[in-house]
Amino acid sequence: MMLTIKKVPTVVSNYQEENSEKGFEGCGRNCLGKCCLPVSKLPLYAFKEDNSNLIGNSVEKSSEEQPHICFLHNLLLGQWEDRMSRGLFRYDVTACDTKIIPGRYGFIAQLNKGRHLKKRPTEFRVDKVLQDFDETKFNFTKVGQEEVLFRFEKSIDHNRHFFPCAPPTTADSNNSSVVAINVSPIEYGHVLLIPQVLNCLPQRIDHGSFLLALHMAKEAADPFFRVGYNSLGAFATINHLHFQAYYLAAPFPVEKAPTRRIMIMKSPQDKGVIVSQLLNYPVRGLVFEGGNTVQDLSDSVASSCIFLQNNNIPFNVLIADCGRRIFLFTQCYAEKQARGEASQELLDTQVNPAVWEISGHIVLKRQEDFDDASETYAWRLLAEVSLSNKRFHEVKAYILEAAGFQTDIEENNRDLEREPIYEQRSPEALTHLPQDCMVFY
């Protein structure tokens, strides 16, 4: 039996709705397809790919690099604000009420009625994490170039560069990765990272794409800028490979949750990656950090995600702390919805718990839900997402094996109780929040 749910897809591009009705017949404008992108002259940020450790993460430039441009504040957020001034967003997210819910974790609630605009419901399949790319449905090659901020690609000379106007060469146009606005933003600076946009990759993580996302978090060099990923079946709504990211000047609740390290046996191929398990948090998950190199950390998480994809287990990923910590969550909420097993009270809120909600930034669409939001409510909502304890431990064993770790999972579960509890280092909330970033209720 095929499991589907009636849902209203999030509109991420101003061209999404018109294309869904008309079909895709030609272009007639500056899009990201093969008809337009190869001859475009989009800005290009070329990042320096090195083999260093993420500890002490910085973006210092070498003497041979161009005068440094601040990737996050001058480029990404500056270009995002330019698009806001040009009226490209569906609503003004900076005017949305936001509040920190009293309690231990400080869940963040936002009232965002703009993400609940009426649109024709569509059937969405939730029982297959891997689905073939379908060019007849909306995809990011249909996005207008005015919605694109810049290309984001690896430098060819191991130095950082910014080119305000850089046409792709014939050799690299198919590998162009871009950063575009999300026209239905959740927060300030909400963007989409679309790897190799012309290759029309389905929503499926591979080692190269995940490393690209990790480099984006690293280049931002700001712990308040996080990168997220939703698989199909875990509330990704577009089957074209993409990551999301935005700037929120407050710690996410998941960044405050205590953890316990999982005991992993050393091996000759030890990559120095540390894996911990979240404790006392409504959604069960793992935390990856450390690594001898950026590549080591990236490969460990990517291998875990590839296993989950291949075994049809929906998941969400949060890249935090400038790429130093990566949270991996498995979930089952969409399947519960499709089977009629989800709480009706929570269904009525029409909240889809994707990576941002699971991390503790909960976007609410009804005034009454925002007014009544409490830590108990947030906990109850997110607990619906989590795998059962038994199922989580089964999946955890396979994840660790897929990531290349050697461990006796049964012995590890016993030893886990004797391991010390670590309090995570979360970024401190800023007392000088920019006036145009958050509106507290």
Side-chain angles (χ1 to χ4, degrees), residues 106-168:
F107 287 97
I108 305 162
Q110 180 196 94
L111 178 62
N112 192 329
K113 298 177 181 178
R115 289 181 69 84
H116 189 46
L117 300 176
K118 294 295 183 181
K119 183 176 182 290
R120 179 174 56 86
T122 58
E123 289 285 349
F124 184 74
R125 189 165 183 177
V126 299
D127 60 344
K128 285 189 69 176
V129 173
L130 296 181
Q131 300 179 36
D132 292 337
F133 183 86
D134 186 348
E135 64 180 8
T136 67
K137 296 183 179 179
F138 174 78
N139 61 77
F140 294 115
T141 66
K142 314 303 175 184
V143 167
Q145 287 184 23
E146 72 275 14
E147 296 177 0
V148 177
L149 303 185
F150 50 86
R151 289 159 51 202
F152 183 72
E153 298 163 19
K154 181 176 67 173
S155 171
I156 61 175
D157 64 358
H158 305 291
N159 289 318
R160 292 180 182 85
H161 299 283
F162 175 67
F163 304 99
C165 185

Side-chain angles (χ1 to χ4, degrees), residues 129-413:
V129 173
L130 296 181
Q131 300 179 36
D132 292 337
F133 183 86
D134 186 348
E135 64 180 8
T136 67
K137 296 183 179 179
F138 174 78
N139 61 77
F140 294 115
T141 66
K142 314 303 175 184
V143 167
Q145 287 184 23
E146 72 275 14
E147 296 177 0
V148 177
L149 303 185
F150 50 86
R151 289 159 51 202
F152 183 72
E153 298 163 19
K154 181 176 67 173
S155 171
I156 61 175
D157 64 358
H158 305 291
N159 289 318
R160 292 180 182 85
H161 299 283
F162 175 67
F163 304 99
C165 185
T169 65
T170 303
D172 68 13
S173 61
N174 278 0
N175 293 320
S176 291
S177 299
V178 299
V179 175
I181 60 172
N182 184 333
V183 302
S184 299
I186 288 177
E187 215 8 287
Y188 183 77
H190 192 168
V191 295
L192 306 168
L193 171 64
I194 310 164
Q196 301 179 41
V197 60
L198 284 183
N199 287 335
C200 296
L201 304 171
Q203 186 72 342
R204 176 177 189 161
I205 280 179
D206 56 62
H207 286 91
S209 65
F210 194 82
L211 183 60
L212 185 74
L214 195 58
H215 274 290
M216 185 177 184
K218 182 181 178 183
E219 290 297 313
D222 189 315
F224 294 114
F225 183 79
R226 289 88 164 186
V227 180
Y229 177 87
N230 301 313
S231 78
L232 296 179
F235 298 102
T237 58
I238 295 174
N239 187 22
H240 190 171
L241 181 58
H242 66 286
F243 296 80
Q244 301 185 50
Y246 61 72
Y247 180 86
L248 178 67
F252 276 10
V254 74
E255 295 172 331
K256 303 177 184 179
T259 63
R260 272 201 176 108
R261 291 185 180 179
I262 295 174
M263 299 302 295
I264 296 169
M265 292 181 284
K266 297 288 185 181
S267 69
Q269 295 79 34
D270 179 48
K271 297 181 177 180
V273 176
I274 298 169
V275 186
S276 303
Q277 182 174 322
L278 283 173
L279 301 177
N280 303 322
Y281 194 72
V283 184
R284 296 178 177 89
L286 300 175
V287 186
F288 293 75
E289 55 192 325
N292 299 327
T293 66
V294 175
Q295 182 91 48
D296 287 336
L297 179 59
S298 178
D299 284 348
S300 294
V301 181
S303 295
S304 301
C305 296
I306 290 169
F307 164 81
L308 294 172
Q309 292 168 165
N310 292 342
N311 287 273
N312 207 34
I313 302 172
F315 65 94
N316 309 89
V317 180
L318 178 73
I319 302 175
D321 199 13
C322 307
R324 297 184 187 95
R325 283 184 295 163
I326 303 171
F327 297 81
L328 176 60
F329 308 95
T330 51
Q331 69 148 294
C332 57
Y333 189 68
E335 186 173 343
K336 279 186 177 180
Q337 282 182 286
R339 294 185 181 279
E341 299 171 357
S343 162
Q344 188 59 49
E345 175 192 5
L346 300 180
L347 289 174
D348 289 342
T349 68
Q350 299 188 50
V351 172
N352 294 326
V355 61
W356 307 121
E357 286 77 13
I358 289 175
S359 301
H361 186 202
I362 303 174
V363 181
L364 300 170
K365 302 164 185 174
R366 302 190 305 181
Q367 184 71 52
E368 59 266 35
D369 295 327
F370 181 77
D371 292 340
D372 297 339
S374 65
E375 184 162 278
T376 299
Y377 163 82
W379 196 279
R380 189 168 69 249
L381 170 67
L382 297 184
E384 285 266 333
V385 174
S386 188
L387 299 184
S388 68
N389 188 54
K390 178 181 179 181
R391 178 58 176 157
F392 173 74
H393 283 299
E394 291 173 351
V395 172
K396 178 176 71 173
Y398 293 125
I399 289 174
L400 294 174
E401 181 179 353
F405 300 118
Q406 299 179 22
T407 178
D408 183 332
I409 197 66
E410 292 186 6
E411 185 66 27
N412 207 304
N413 286 336

